[in-house]
Amino acid sequence: MILLLISIVFIFPVVAIASYQHYKIGKQPAYDANKTFLNYEVVGSGENKLVLLHGLTGSLNYWKRELETITKTHSLLLIDLLGFGDSPKPKSNYTLSIQLAAVALILNKEGFNNGKTSIAGHSMGAIISLALLEKQPNWFKLGVFISIPVYKDADEFKKVMSTQSFVDRISSSKFSKYICMIHPIFMSRAFKPDNLTDDVYEDAKKHHWMSYYYSLTEVILKTDLYSLAKRIKDKEVLFIHGEKDTTAPLENALKLSKEFKNAQLITSSEGDHQFFLKEAGFVWNTIQDFTISEKKLQKTISNEH
């Protein structure tokens, strides 16, 4: 009788939710490279073009903080990556090449491929930004990588994640696929990590297990960042990182930055992996200094004095 009650109260609801999640994905069309358009917004009126790509489980709303200054100097292309936010979530293996193709459609459509554009990303978005910079170097003048996760292999990733919050640990474990199927159960306010804002956490609920699991395994864990960097080592790039980032260790990003001939690395002394959420102004000012030639000149002259 007790086992029956446990099954009714706990097991059956979990199975029902997981089955429904599977059903929803089964009803989605397969990914079509020519017809699947991502959700995006163009914000700002500045003459400098800047593409912004969010991280795993994120959305374009991640970037909507302290925009008053950056939107005067830049036109921002904010994109929901395939499988996240309000973008389509098709049946797909969400490989790096698929994510690149989906983003490229939007850049072509909006004219953010004119060779004068800067591309930036946070976490997984930084990986995709670096890969797109390598694939289409003539589209961009420089790249910005915020909290880029660099791991030697899956074992190092698991070791790093073993020290994180409960949600991060189970989301990066071998059970992550199944946990994602029931994420409506555990993604409640009680499990919200302290370093995420309420709006970011709400958007994190919009993915499904396929977009999460394959983006993690195919993009974050299988991308050879060193190989990409070596092929565009002459490109001008900026790394922005939190010194207290325990999800994507600073020392790994520093090693990657040394593959470039023209790399700068700026750090936030108190920043963790999500430091942008608390220090958006610092990030925007750093990007402005790096992407606008007049600001670069002023900064150089100031440093000389």
Side-chain angles (χ1 to χ4, degrees), residues 231-275:
R231 290 197 285 270
I232 52 170
K233 60 184 179 181
D234 293 326
K235 273 289 184 181
E236 194 170 3
V237 296
L238 169 66
F239 290 77
I240 310 178
H241 219 92
E243 293 182 16
K244 295 185 177 180
D245 189 338
T246 57
T247 300
L250 172 61
E251 57 266 27
N252 291 1
L254 177 60
K255 290 178 183 177
L256 179 64
S257 71
K258 292 180 179 179
E259 295 294 329
F260 293 92
K261 294 180 179 179
N262 301 294
Q264 294 184 38
L265 190 148
I266 306 295
T267 63
S268 164
S269 60
E270 296 297 318
D272 61 12
H273 193 59
Q274 303 291 350
F275 74 93

Side-chain angles (χ1 to χ4, degrees), residues 28 61-62 81 107 125-126 129 138 150 157 183 186 196 206 232 265 271 278 281 293:
Q28 295 295 319
N61 292 320
Y62 185 86
L81 293 170
L107 268 62
S129 297
N138 294 327
V150 184
F157 170 74
H183 76 266
F186 69 84
L196 292 185
K206 295 181 178 180
I232 52 170
L265 190 148
K278 295 180 179 179
S293 57

